[in-house]
């Protein structure tokens, strides 16, 4: 496969939220990105464009056998090159053609070469999405940041007790009882997502009460994050007008590494 100066590097879903800009403090991330800009003399390290609108881009390597995400480098790039790196996001925002043209310009590539490279990037993206949780290998001392520490967020896999149960069976015709309309488990980011109606309040429990959230709308959309919970199971209670629904227990188990 041809080596391109500018490539499409799609982060698998299990890696969303692992980037340093979200896991480090704002102070530490500002130190890193400003140092990157300075080292690059305020120019894009890919296309050479000189601008004040620069981004610090993290270069990652993914090992599917060990399920490890390794930080290789942090480079300075312009917004156009960044749009190519995260092509799916550019497409979602309506900048698909701009990103395509920039890829072709920087790499002196044809439309066919772009399409072939994109297809390969999407294939790798889909393949890596089979992994919900990546073990992080981040050594910032190798990049010169010995005083900045990266701490991986640990979470457990959520086992849905309703996976074999049709939600229609939970939708009681009694207009006073809380009702679950949608229930989604997202093991990429460790959340339980609910849409309910006839519900004024939800309480989340582990060994004890963890969280309470109130509702003042017709449909109650809520999400619960299990990241870093130490509990082995959790459940929720929905409250309506003088009525209550208690869920089955959601097991929280370690991801196989």
């Amino acid at each position: 496969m041809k080596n391109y100066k500018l490539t499409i590097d799609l982060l698998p879903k299990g890696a969303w939220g692992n980037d340093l800009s979200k896991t480090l403090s704002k102070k530490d991330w500002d130190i890193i990105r400003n140092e990157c800009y300075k080292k690059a003399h305020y120019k894009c390290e890919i296309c050479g464009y000189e601008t004040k609108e620069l981004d610090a881009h993290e270069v990652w390597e993914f090992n599917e056998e060990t399920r490890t995400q390794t930080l290789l480098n942090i480079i300075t790039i312009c917004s156009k090159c960044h749009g190519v790196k995260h092509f799916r996001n550019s497409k979602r925002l309506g900048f698909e053609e701009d990103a395509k043209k920039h890829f072709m310009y920087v790499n002196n590539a044809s439309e066919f070469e772009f399409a072939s490279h994109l297809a390969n990037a999407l294939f790798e993206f889909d393949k890596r999405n089979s992994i919900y949780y990546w073990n992080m290998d981040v050594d910032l001392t190798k990049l010169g940041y010995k005083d900045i520490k990266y701490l991986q967020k640990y979470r457990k896999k959520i086992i849905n007790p309703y996976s074999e149960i049709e939600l229609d069976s939970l939708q009681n015709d009694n207009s006073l009882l809380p009702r679950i309309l949608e229930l989604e488990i997202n093991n990429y980011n460790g959340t339980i997502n609910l849409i309910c109606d006839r519900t004024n309040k939800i309480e989340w429990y582990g060994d004890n009460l963890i969280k309470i959230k109130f509702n003042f709308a017709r449909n109650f959309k809520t999400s619960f994050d299990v990241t870093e919970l130490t509990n082995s199971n959790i459940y929720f209670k929905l409250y309506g007008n003088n009525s209550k629904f208690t869920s089955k227990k959601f097991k929280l188990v370690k991801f196989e590494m």
Side-chain angles (χ1 to χ4, degrees):
M1 187 174 63
K2 186 175 179 180
N3 290 324
Y4 292 111
K5 188 176 182 180
L6 174 59
T7 57
I8 299 171
D9 300 318
L10 303 177
L11 286 175
K13 293 180 181 179
W16 295 357
N18 288 344
D19 45 306
L20 304 186
S21 62
K22 294 179 181 176
T23 53
L24 295 179
S25 68
K26 183 179 183 304
K27 177 184 176 182
D28 285 343
W29 177 241
D30 283 345
I31 290 172
I32 289 175
R33 67 184 185 88
N34 287 322
E35 185 63 25
C36 284
Y37 305 156
K38 185 178 178 181
K39 287 180 181 178
H41 304 289
Y42 302 94
K43 291 182 181 180
C44 177
E45 293 185 61
I46 295 177
C47 71
Y49 185 58
E50 187 172 355
T51 175
K52 292 183 179 179
E53 300 299 323
L54 293 167
D55 297 322
H57 175 71
E58 300 155 37
V59 182
W60 297 96
E61 180 181 70
F62 294 91
N63 186 318
E64 291 155 48
E65 288 188 9
T66 62
R67 303 184 181 187
T68 301
Q69 178 181 349
T70 303
L71 180 69
L72 299 181
N73 201 2
I74 305 172
I75 62 174
T76 296
I77 61 177
C78 66
S79 59
K80 287 185 177 182
C81 286
H82 218 176
V84 174
K85 289 289 186 185
H86 301 292
F87 185 80
R88 289 181 77 254
N89 194 47
S90 294
K91 183 177 180 179
R92 180 180 63 84
L93 295 173
F95 298 113
E96 178 180 3
E97 280 300 311
D98 292 337
K100 172 183 171 182
K101 289 177 181 177
H102 191 63
F103 173 93
M104 293 167 61
Y105 169 74
V106 172
N107 294 309
N108 192 26
S110 67
E111 194 162 342
F112 174 80
E113 288 174 316
F114 165 79
S116 178
H117 180 74
L118 174 60
N120 185 68
L122 290 172
F123 174 78
E124 290 296 326
F125 173 75
D126 289 337
K127 185 173 63 170
R128 289 169 179 166
N129 283 341
S130 63
I131 298 173
Y132 288 104
Y133 182 79
W134 294 87
N135 182 40
M136 302 300 294
D137 182 0
V138 179
D139 187 354
L140 291 171
T141 60
K142 292 181 179 179
L143 301 180
Y145 306 105
K146 62 180 181 179
D147 295 325
I148 298 178
K149 304 297 181 184
Y150 175 89
L151 296 177
Q152 179 170 4
K153 290 185 176 180
Y154 291 96
R155 58 181 171 81
K156 296 181 179 180
K157 184 177 181 180
I158 307 164
I159 306 300
N160 184 5
Y162 296 105
S163 59
E164 304 297 328
I165 300 175
E166 293 291 335
L167 280 181
D168 289 344
S169 65
L170 303 177
Q171 296 178 4
N172 197 297
D173 290 333
N174 187 326
S175 61
L176 296 178
L177 292 177
R179 181 170 61 172
I180 300 173
L181 302 179
E182 292 184 26
L183 170 62
E184 178 203 32
I185 303 299
N186 189 329
N187 272 312
Y188 291 115
N189 61 14
T191 58
I192 301 172
N193 305 301
L194 285 169
I195 299 180
C196 313
D197 66 356
R198 310 170 186 165
T199 305
N200 303 322
K201 182 178 71 170
I202 185 170
E203 293 178 346
W204 290 93
Y205 290 86
D207 298 325
N208 299 295
L209 178 63
I210 300 173
K211 183 179 180 181
I212 300 175
K213 189 173 181 180
F214 295 91
N215 174 53
F216 302 99
R218 181 176 180 180
N219 283 354
F220 186 17
K221 297 182 180 181
T222 185
S223 180
F224 183 74
D225 189 345
V226 306
T227 302
E228 298 183 343
L229 282 184
T230 59
N231 305 76
S232 59
N233 57 66
I234 56 172
Y235 65 98
F236 61 84
K237 293 180 181 180
L238 301 177
Y239 293 86
N241 295 324
N242 300 315
S243 59
K244 180 176 69 174
F245 170 84
T246 301
S247 77
K248 296 177 180 291
K249 290 185 177 181
F250 296 76
K251 292 183 179 179
L252 302 180
V253 300
K254 288 184 178 180
F255 280 96
E256 295 181 3
M257 300 304 292

